[in-house]
Amino acid sequence: MKHIFILILLCFLIGKQANAQGEVKLSDIKTPVSPGFVIADVTPSSIEKPSTPKGVVASLLSIKNGGSLEVSPYWIIKSKSRESLLYDTFIKRKFFFAKTLSFSISTFKSDTGSYLSVGARFRPISIFSNGQIAQITAKQGEIVAELSQLPANINLQKLERLTQELDDLDKQPLLSAEIAGALLGYSTNKSYEGLKTSRMGFWANICFIPPKTNLEVILLARYLKNRETANFTKEANLFDFGTSIGFEKDKFSFHTEFVYRKDNFLQKDYHRIAAVLNYKLNDQIYFVGSIGKNFTNVNNIIALLGINFGLSKDQLKLQ
Amino acid sequence: MPIELKISQQSNQTQRVNPENDVFLSIAIGNAQIGGSYVEDSEGNLIVKGAITNFNLGRGSALVGQRIKIFTNVLDKNPNNNDVIVFHRFSNIKQSYKYEDTAPEKGVVSIQVEYLFTL
């Protein structure tokens, strides 16, 4: 009853705030999935799109079960490099390290114990096509022209529209890649003393978004090493290779994914196939549903339906 | 609902010039934000506006005793933080001024500075 009350209150507060703001795309409110959640297989989707770096992001797995905090040091520490970083230099740059490097810590619970994971990721490649760069530069020029006036003469409604149009352009590089890694600890007695490393892994995602389409294609390569942990993992050396094809339009996004898994320890192979649908309810809440077959041969039906609170639009920003 | 506009408190600076050389002005916006500037003389006449790089304000000798006012308006385009960092650079007697503020979330902050040119 208490949780239902909190949920209703949260929906009411968020709904009120959302009504006072402009239209937000579904991709803008979905918080980037923390590597700590990815390694634990607690996300609806097994293949995640490379994410835009953010200063500080908090995301909830659910109100009851846990969450994560992700920090990108470059964007919260003052530096000469950041002071002199021009927008167009940032957009035209193709290779990154510090500017996209982030660290995360995640905690969550299950029926049998508690989990703590630490992770890191960075996006080494983000490439816009020449046509996209030209469009971004032109839109940036329109914004600069609107800002180059006495403050009283700036048309704020026009500026808001131009900003949204630029957001649509500069968040969808033609090609991007992300490299991530995480370490997962598991405890049956909810204490740090009892925490044991149960899984570690690293992975790379490459995302291709054909210009002027709503499609995206993602390729995944991942290595996971499990240690024997009571009630959670069995010894394993897993290599995953997968692909995901997605489509996003207005309030909906839909993608299907296929992952082939080779267990080098047990000399077995598995596969996972799933379809994930997201629907934006308002600017900060979206429904997510996932259906398909998971890796294991038993208890392998994926059927998830839930609500996600996208905190990224109003992400924590350090002043 | 339109985006928010914040007016920063005006600063006043004195910029020395070499009377025998031209004075060039450049304005840079850091922290991957987007901005534009409007420069006017003491009577409110427009001198230059836009993205300003090496704009020739005139001979140093002609500028001595004159004032210009620069409005640099910066949009919070950076999703990571609201920091706004603006550099006004004069090339005649090289001097760079750095102004820092924070913009409203996805809004605009207007940084206003008046410069008096002296020998």
Side-chain angles (χ1 to χ4, degrees):
Chain A
M1 188 64 198
K2 186 180 160 194
H3 292 129
I4 292 171
F5 175 74
I6 292 170
L7 189 65
I8 291 169
L9 185 67
L10 208 57
C11 290
F12 175 74
L13 291 173
I14 290 171
K16 275 194 77 152
Q17 190 182 353
N19 287 337
Q21 295 168 335
E23 184 69 13
V24 178
K25 294 188 121 191
L26 179 61
S27 56
D28 292 338
I29 62 170
K30 286 166 72 177
T31 42
V33 177
S34 157
F37 290 158
V38 173
I39 197 170
D41 285 335
V42 292
T43 55
S45 138
S46 184
I47 301 178
E48 290 294 333
K49 184 177 166 181
S51 60
T52 307
K54 299 197 175 0
V56 181
V57 177
S59 50
L60 286 175
L61 192 62
S62 74
I63 292 174
K64 184 180 169 186
N65 289 333
S68 81
L69 183 70
E70 188 163 13
V71 176
S72 180
Y74 179 85
W75 296 105
I76 59 172
I77 298 169
K78 290 197 173 183
S79 68
K80 293 276 183 196
S81 158
R82 188 159 72 82
E83 280 182 359
S84 57
L85 182 64
L86 306 180
Y87 171 80
D88 40 2
T89 308
F90 185 58
I91 288 296
K92 288 173 187 167
R93 193 165 175 157
K94 294 181 172 66
F95 303 103
F96 297 90
F97 180 66
K99 292 178 182 65
T100 61
L101 177 65
S102 64
F103 300 96
S104 62
I105 183 163
S106 314
T107 65
F108 52 95
K109 290 186 281 188
S110 72
D111 294 340
T112 56
S114 300
Y115 304 85
L116 175 72
S117 71
V118 290
R121 63 174 157 188
F122 73 107
R123 197 175 64 174
I125 298 169
S126 176
I127 299 173
F128 290 95
S129 69
N130 290 339
Q132 286 175 311
I133 291 284
Q135 283 183 304
I136 290 169
T137 304
K139 196 59 67 183
Q140 181 194 0
E142 287 183 59
I143 291 175
V144 170
E146 192 54 46
L147 289 167
S148 302
Q149 305 188 57
L150 290 171
N153 295 336
I154 296 173
N155 183 337
L156 294 173
Q157 282 182 326
K158 181 181 176 188
L159 191 60
E160 185 179 30
R161 177 179 57 78
L162 292 171
T163 305
Q164 185 57 56
E165 289 169 2
L166 183 59
D167 283 348
D168 292 345
L169 293 169
D170 71 7
K171 284 186 180 165
Q172 303 283 358
L174 178 73
L175 188 71
S176 59
E178 182 173 88
I179 295 174
L183 194 64
L184 178 68
Y186 171 77
S187 169
T188 50
N189 57 11
K190 298 182 182 177
S191 73
Y192 287 109
E193 286 74 24
L195 201 65
K196 289 178 183 168
T197 305
S198 57
R199 176 177 278 188
M200 58 84 71
F202 49 88
W203 56 94
N205 295 340
I206 297 172
C207 179
F208 172 66
I209 301 177
K212 297 176 184 174
T213 69
N214 295 313
L215 290 173
E216 64 185 27
V217 180
I218 306 171
L219 301 176
L220 163 79
R222 180 165 54 201
Y223 170 72
L224 298 171
K225 181 173 176 57
N226 285 353
R227 291 179 64 183
E228 183 82 33
T229 314
N231 297 324
F232 180 51
T233 49
K234 292 187 174 176
E235 184 86 24
N237 272 325
L238 308 172
F239 290 91
D240 290 348
F241 301 96
T243 184
S244 160
I245 297 173
F247 174 83
E248 182 176 327
K249 179 96 175 139
D250 302 328
K251 294 184 173 185
F252 285 97
S253 79
F254 174 78
H255 77 262
T256 57
E257 62 182 34
F258 175 82
V259 182
Y260 167 78
R261 172 167 286 179
K262 172 80 178 169
D263 185 339
N264 267 11
F265 185 77
L266 296 176
Q267 292 299 317
K268 285 186 173 180
D269 48 9
Y270 314 90
H271 70 274
R272 169 191 159 108
I273 185 162
V276 182
L277 179 73
N278 292 293
Y279 174 75
K280 188 185 84 165
L281 182 66
N282 66 28
D283 284 354
Q284 287 166 317
I285 297 176
Y286 65 95
F287 289 110
V288 56
S290 179
I291 191 164
K293 176 201 165 295
N294 213 338
F295 292 112
T296 51
N297 290 327
V298 290
N299 293 329
N300 60 6
I301 296 172
I302 301 169
L304 297 170
L305 190 63
I307 297 173
N308 273 20
F309 299 94
L311 304 179
S312 62
K313 181 174 179 292
D314 292 308
Q315 64 205 268
L316 303 171
K317 284 191 173 188
L318 298 188
Q319 302 290 324
Chain B
M1 188 176 177
I3 57 182
E4 197 180 332
L5 170 67
K6 172 183 161 187
I7 307 289
S8 190
Q9 192 175 1
Q10 182 179 315
S11 308
N12 295 295
Q13 304 283 1
T14 301
Q15 168 66 30
R16 289 178 59 233
V17 293
N18 180 341
E20 294 174 6
N21 294 328
D22 289 348
V23 178
F24 292 88
L25 170 68
S26 293
I27 298 175
I29 317 292
N31 193 39
Q33 306 281 28
I34 296 179
S37 298
Y38 183 99
V39 184
E40 64 180 21
D41 63 19
S42 54
E43 292 171 355
N45 299 311
L46 172 67
I47 298 172
V48 62
K49 65 177 184 176
I52 297 170
T53 306
N54 279 329
F55 178 79
N56 191 342
L57 289 168
R59 203 71 172 170
S61 55
L63 289 174
V64 173
Q66 302 287 319
R67 292 174 194 271
I68 62 166
K69 190 169 178 181
I70 302 178
F71 300 83
T72 301
N73 306 312
V74 183
L75 171 74
D76 173 34
K77 182 65 184 72
N78 187 333
N80 299 289
N81 58 56
N82 300 35
D83 294 349
V84 166
I85 303 159
V86 171
F87 293 92
H88 292 172
R89 295 191 181 100
F90 294 94
S91 65
N92 176 277
I93 290 179
K94 276 191 179 175
Q95 188 148 0
S96 182
Y97 300 86
K98 182 171 86 173
Y99 302 97
E100 293 182 80
D101 207 330
T102 51
E105 176 70 20
K106 290 198 167 188
V108 176
V109 61
S110 179
I111 291 172
Q112 305 178 9
V113 190
E114 187 171 271
Y115 292 92
L116 168 65
F117 295 107
T118 64
L119 283 174

